[in-house]
């Protein structure tokens, strides 16, 4: 299973970026292969509009199963994600990537 | 660090008067960000002294390289914005009409058209008379606010707050429910909704509540001009109860909002009664975040 975290950096100790569309990095962890795949998402911030759907497209292309973020995607991004069958968990805005993963494992994040 | 965003849905409800008053009432550990860039006016009440200014590049303009242009007119055919015209002996692109969509550049068989980033305005950092830093921006004529610009203003403010151990970022958001508003909500910890008891005020409040709920952010509501229509104000209060949103203040209609603006001060400084209501609201917000 592939889990995508919106993050402000490229390590397990990086803070979660509470934003979805304009998140700085997408930190993807595959819990079967134990591999990380880190996507620098800063290019999306250079677009004036439509950041949410662009980031949604990136996570969809990466074939992730779960997204863990802070506030959650907005309407347009949520539609893309929903139609791809990806589950979204929110409420990790103040955590590090590691803490967010642990919180998810313990069932402490909200599924939206 | 907590980020508090003030939005209204409808414009003209008193959002900026309320935000500037909160800026006045807030502790010294606060950074201010004016993200209502289409009509930024919070600075008028805070007498900012400019510390730094940075150019902001965002929109694209299609530019024809006449050394490559074969004069085929494909650009003229595909432009939806009537930005391409034929003058004397060549096709020209109007700066004013071009939306920067890139359709012409995409279809040009000679690859003669490129998109050039435009300087749309400036990002500013200022000292204010309240002793708090203000992060704001100004757009050039015809340039529009965007999620990108709001994100830049907010990120600059948040970066400054982090580096200086300041714990509150107070954001004046923009009206509506579109891209700039979504960007101002992104990453926020608390949303203050400023509304008024009018048909459009209530309609836009309900839309903005639906938007904030998507982002799972706590919110509270200030009803301004409560006494211009008690029946509609009661309707707003019922909506807030149904949505489980705390009522932070019920402000009366008062000419002192305008008098304060004329004196270039916040209404909280000008009117003691309104100050105490807004102080109470600000205390409630700080207990909720």
């Amino acid at each position: 299973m592939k889990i995508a975290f919106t993050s402000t950096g490229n390590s397990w100790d990086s803070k979660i970026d509470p934003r979805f569309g304009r998140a700085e990095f997408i930190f993807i962890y595959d819990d079967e292969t134990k591999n990380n795949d880190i996507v620098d998402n800063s290019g999306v911030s250079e677009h004036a509009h439509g950041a949410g759907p662009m980031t949604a497209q990136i996570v969809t292309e990466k074939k992730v199963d779960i997204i863990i973020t802070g506030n959650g995607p907005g309407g347009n991004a949520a539609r893309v994600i929903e139609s791809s069958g990806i589950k979204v968990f929110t409420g990790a805005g103040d955590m590090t990537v590691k803490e967010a993963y642990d919180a998810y494992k313990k069932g402490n994040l909200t599924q939206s | 660090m907590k980020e508090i965003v003030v939005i209204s849905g409808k414009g003209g409800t008193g959002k900026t008067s309320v935000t500037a008053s909160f800026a006045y009432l807030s502790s010294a550990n606060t950074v201010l960000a004016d993200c209502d860039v289409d009509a930024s006016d919070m600075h008028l009440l805070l007498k900012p002294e400019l510390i730094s200014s940075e150019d902001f590049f965002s929109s694209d303009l299609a530019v024809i390289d006449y050394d490559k242009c074969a004069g085929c007119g494909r650009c003229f055919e595909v432009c939806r914005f009537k930005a391409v015209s034929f003058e004397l002996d060549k096709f020209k692109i109007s700066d004013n009409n071009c939306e920067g969509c890139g359709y012409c550049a995409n279809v040009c068989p000679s690859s003669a058209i490129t998109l050039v980033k435009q300087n749309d305005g400036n990002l500013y950092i200022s000292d204010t008379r309240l002793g708090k830093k203000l992060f704001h921006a100004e757009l050039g004529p015809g340039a529009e606010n965007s999620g990108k610009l709001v994100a830049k203003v907010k990120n600059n403010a948040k970066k400054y707050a982090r580096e200086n151990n300041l714990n509150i970022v107070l954001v004046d958001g923009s009206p509506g429910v579109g891209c700039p508003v979504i960007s101002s909500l992104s990453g926020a910890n608390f949303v203050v909704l400023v509304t008024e008891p009018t048909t459009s005020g209530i309609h836009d409040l309900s839309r903005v509540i639906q938007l904030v709920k998507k982002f799972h952010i706590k919110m509270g509501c200030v009803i301004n001009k409560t006494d211009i229509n008690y029946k509609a104000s009661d309707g707003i209060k019922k909506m807030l109860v149904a949505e489980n949103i705390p009522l932070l203040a019920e402000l009366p209609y008062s000419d002192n909002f305008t008098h304060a603006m004329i004196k270039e001060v916040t209404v909280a400084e000008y009117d003691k009664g309104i100050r105490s209501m807004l102080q109470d609201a600000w205390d409630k917000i700080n207990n909720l975040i």
Side-chain angles (χ1 to χ4, degrees), chain A residues 18-22 45-50 70-75 78 90 94 110 112, chain B residues 2 58 144-148 151-152 155 158 179 183 185-189 214-217:
Chain A
R19 304 170 302 171
F20 179 76
R22 293 177 195 276
S45 295
E46 286 307 307
H47 291 271
H49 300 281
N71 295 135
T90 58
D94 292 326
T110 322
S112 58
Chain B
K2 300 286 180 188
S58 181
E144 59 162 10
N145 195 3
S146 64
K148 177 185 177 183
K152 284 227 175 217
N155 286 347
K158 279 157 70 169
C179 186
S183 188
L185 293 175
S186 174
N189 299 93
K214 279 205 176 75
F215 291 103
H216 312 281
I217 309 169

Side-chain angles (χ1 to χ4, degrees), chain B residues 149-165:
Chain B
L149 181 53
V150 167
K152 284 227 175 217
V153 173
K154 277 205 342 177
N155 286 347
N156 288 350
K158 279 157 70 169
K159 186 164 171 257
Y160 180 84
R162 263 196 302 275
E163 286 168 0
N164 293 279
N165 287 322

Side-chain angles (χ1 to χ4, degrees), chain A residues 27-64:
Chain A
F27 183 106
I28 301 169
Y29 175 61
D30 187 328
D31 67 357
E32 282 149 32
T33 64
K34 312 283 179 204
N35 286 332
N36 299 337
D37 178 11
I38 291 141
V39 182
D40 183 344
N41 200 42
S42 56
V44 166
S45 295
E46 286 307 307
H47 291 271
H49 300 281
M54 271 178 232
T55 302
Q57 187 169 350
I58 290 168
V59 292
T60 309
E61 282 166 2
K62 289 282 180 186
K63 298 195 173 12
V64 308

Side-chain angles (χ1 to χ4, degrees), chain B residues 26-273:
Chain B
S26 62
S27 72
N29 290 331
T30 305
V31 178
L32 313 171
D34 187 353
C35 291
D36 186 0
V37 186
D38 276 318
S40 76
D41 46 14
M42 195 157 73
H43 62 280
L44 299 175
L45 304 175
L46 305 178
K47 292 205 176 64
E49 276 180 35
L50 205 63
I51 303 170
S52 78
S53 168
E54 177 194 333
D55 287 333
F56 174 70
F57 292 87
S58 181
S59 64
D60 289 309
L61 175 71
V63 176
I64 301 175
D65 176 353
Y66 290 106
D67 289 339
K68 292 183 184 169
C69 175
C72 72
R74 276 296 282 146
C75 51
F76 176 79
E77 287 167 23
V78 299
C79 182
R80 303 279 183 91
F81 304 101
K82 296 191 167 58
V84 186
S85 59
F86 191 75
E87 285 173 37
L88 296 174
D89 56 346
K90 58 188 177 186
F91 289 95
K92 281 191 170 168
I93 294 172
S94 149
D95 299 8
N96 287 333
N97 288 12
C98 176
E99 288 277 321
C101 71
Y103 198 172
C104 56
N106 204 25
V107 299
C108 177
S110 314
S111 302
I113 303 177
T114 46
L115 294 174
V116 179
K117 281 267 177 267
Q118 298 298 293
N119 187 351
D120 291 336
N122 295 87
L123 291 159
Y124 299 125
I125 307 173
S126 298
D127 269 319
T128 63
R129 64 183 176 83
L130 303 177
K132 290 153 196 168
K133 290 276 185 296
L134 172 67
F135 291 78
H136 51 139
E138 188 175 53
L139 289 167
E144 59 162 10
N145 195 3
S146 64
K148 177 185 177 183
L149 181 53
V150 167
K152 284 227 175 217
V153 173
K154 277 205 342 177
N155 286 347
N156 288 350
K158 279 157 70 169
K159 186 164 171 257
Y160 180 84
R162 263 196 302 275
E163 286 168 0
N164 293 279
N165 287 322
L166 304 175
N167 55 14
I168 300 279
V169 178
L170 178 61
V171 180
D172 192 20
S174 44
V177 290
C179 186
V181 180
I182 292 171
S183 188
S184 70
L185 293 175
S186 174
N189 299 93
F190 193 87
V191 175
V192 181
L193 310 161
V194 181
T195 190
E196 61 177 31
T198 59
T199 304
S200 54
I202 295 167
H203 171 265
D204 290 3
L205 174 69
S206 70
R207 291 182 64 188
V208 92
I209 288 172
Q210 296 317 309
L211 180 67
V212 176
K213 278 165 76 177
K214 279 205 176 75
F215 291 103
H216 312 281
I217 309 169
K218 280 186 255 181
M219 45 189 151
C221 183
V222 173
I223 306 177
N224 192 15
K225 314 173 206 177
T226 311
D227 48 356
I228 62 170
N229 186 338
Y230 282 115
K231 204 176 150 192
S233 290
D234 284 344
I236 294 173
K237 283 188 250 178
K238 283 195 186 110
M239 189 199 298
L240 296 177
V241 170
E243 296 283 1
N244 201 16
I245 297 168
L247 178 61
L248 302 169
E250 290 176 79
L251 305 177
Y253 176 84
S254 168
D255 287 341
N256 282 346
F257 277 79
T258 314
H259 294 315
M261 275 177 225
I262 293 165
K263 291 253 193 274
E264 298 177 79
V265 295
T266 66
V267 67
E269 290 164 279
Y270 192 86
D271 184 312
K272 275 187 184 163

